Amino acid sequence: MLVESPPSKSAAPVAATRPRNAARTAGLLAALGVLAAIAVASIAVGAKQMPLDQVWHGLFGYSGTPSDVVVRDLRVPRTLLGLMVGAALGLSGAVMQALTRNPLAEPGILGVNAGAAAAVVSAISFLGASSLTEYVWYAFAGAALVSVLVYVLGGSRAATPVRLALAGTAASFALVSYVNAVQLMDSKALDKLRFWTVGSLASATMDTAVRVAPFIAVGAVLALLLGRPLNAMAMGDDTARALGADLTRTRVTAMVAVTLLCGAATAACGPIVFIGLMIPHLVRVFTGPDMRWVLAYSAVLSPVLLLGADVLGRVVTRPAELQVGIVTALIGGPVFIVLVRRKRMAQL
């Protein structure tokens, strides 16, 4: 006589996670659909009102008319750069919050923004840099150097989340003071850096997008590969080691990823606030703490917020434009206050 054996205990959790993973997958596909719609809106809507047939002609029947130039040479590069920069800010924010175990962490906590700004103002004031394509390389170099400095000051192999956060904060204060001093002494540097420090996509060109794309692509791949190690580190260093995670390698990889992502994004558009801080929190409400899903959703929804804010800034002040950094700050402040006050706010 055959007797049915009861289902194993290990099978129950696996079966329980399947509906949730299906919901996460469906939600990610929906988010991709929203991102596609926002990207289309970014090309079709702007400070200059334009019929859809002219937008279509600019995309697929370019003949050099003023409307074609606006669509192909201004709006398309702006949208592409917004997609890349938004994904970079969201991924770097999610990685920073997991690495430092600080729910209020954002890309600037390692001094990356301040390092980029210090390099740009130095290049303008002392080396005569005058174009955005030059700023990109100086800003990226400054971000990379500061990230290495922060990692060394944080204890290198003995680096901990607290040490990294303290070293980054100290570096940021010192560099911001330097930037302010140079700007006060050199009015030319102040005029050129004024719009860059606000955060804007208005100066986007295809050349800038092409220059930063490789750095953002490599940084995004590294960040997405950190999902499992960061999940292990969330349980504490001892537990992570017991699970086989290499803490030093994970922290170094995370630092490199944040440097590439935030350095390139800041170089191209200036320091844009709240996206890297707010989106990972919104994502965790739906996905839970699993970093594999948090990173994937952050990479998709952060460009939605950035491009949506950019479109809003182009529409509300027509025929002028409101810089996207100002719009994200205006949106992000109240939304983040609501998130902080929620009793069921997702934890890291």
Side-chain angles (χ1 to χ4, degrees):
M1 181 177 178
L2 296 175
V3 179
E4 275 190 24
S5 58
S8 63
K9 294 182 179 179
S10 61
V14 173
T17 58
R18 286 175 182 169
R20 188 170 190 183
N21 284 338
R24 288 166 170 167
T25 302
L28 188 59
L29 292 174
L32 286 169
V34 173
L35 178 59
I38 290 292
V40 171
S42 178
I43 296 173
V45 180
K48 177 183 177 181
Q49 294 185 351
M50 191 180 301
L52 290 179
D53 61 329
Q54 290 185 9
V55 175
W56 183 267
H57 187 271
L59 289 174
F60 303 106
Y62 186 88
S63 60
T65 64
S67 297
D68 290 350
V69 171
V70 169
V71 173
R72 180 79 68 87
D73 298 338
L74 298 179
R75 291 186 185 177
V76 170
R78 185 171 187 160
T79 301
L80 290 176
L81 192 62
L83 289 170
M84 291 189 292
V85 168
L89 293 174
L91 285 171
S92 57
V95 170
M96 281 307 307
Q97 291 174 14
L99 181 67
T100 62
R101 297 174 202 157
N102 180 356
L104 297 180
E106 50 91 27
I109 199 171
L110 287 184
V112 177
N113 288 349
V120 169
V121 75
S122 298
I124 291 173
S125 186
F126 306 124
L127 302 177
S130 59
S131 67
L132 185 63
T133 53
E134 292 180 272
Y135 300 167
V136 168
W137 298 107
Y138 289 113
F140 184 77
L145 288 174
V146 170
S147 295
V148 173
L149 176 63
V150 167
Y151 187 70
V152 171
L153 292 176
S156 190
R157 290 184 176 274
T160 64
V162 174
R163 287 180 177 179
L164 289 174
L166 290 174
T169 302
S172 292
F173 281 133
L175 290 170
V176 168
S177 298
Y178 167 77
V179 169
N180 290 336
V182 173
Q183 287 180 305
L184 288 174
M185 292 186 296
D186 187 347
S187 59
K188 178 182 69 174
L190 175 61
D191 291 338
K192 290 186 178 180
L193 200 64
R194 182 175 51 192
F195 291 105
W196 184 82
T197 54
V198 172
S200 174
L201 293 171
S203 300
T205 64
M206 192 60 73
D207 184 57
T208 302
V210 170
R211 286 174 182 268
V212 301
F215 300 111
I216 293 177
V218 173
V221 171
L222 291 177
L224 292 171
L225 291 175
L226 286 170
R228 289 183 183 275
L230 290 175
N231 280 342
M233 288 180 64
M235 303 178 189
D237 289 358
D238 293 336
T239 303
R241 290 191 188 96
L243 292 173
D246 187 329
L247 300 186
T248 300
R249 183 173 63 185
T250 300
R251 287 182 178 131
V252 170
T253 304
M255 292 281 290
V256 171
V258 169
T259 300
L260 290 171
L261 292 168
C262 193
T266 303
C269 301
I272 298 176
V273 297
F274 273 112
I275 291 179
L277 177 65
M278 181 172 58
I279 290 297
H281 279 295
L282 288 171
V283 165
R284 288 189 194 95
V285 173
F286 179 72
T287 66
D290 190 335
M291 285 301 300
R292 294 171 297 178
W293 289 101
V294 170
L295 290 168
Y297 268 83
S298 296
V300 175
L301 290 179
S302 295
V304 170
L305 175 59
L306 182 61
L307 287 178
D310 188 45
V311 171
L312 183 63
R314 285 184 262 172
V315 171
V316 296
T317 57
R318 279 176 175 166
E321 292 188 14
L322 193 63
Q323 281 78 15
V324 68
I326 297 174
V327 180
T328 57
L330 292 173
I331 296 173
V335 171
F336 195 70
I337 290 173
V338 172
L339 284 174
V340 169
R341 293 181 63 87
R342 280 175 62 103
K343 292 182 180 180
R344 296 177 59 190
M345 181 176 174
Q347 301 295 320
L348 285 174

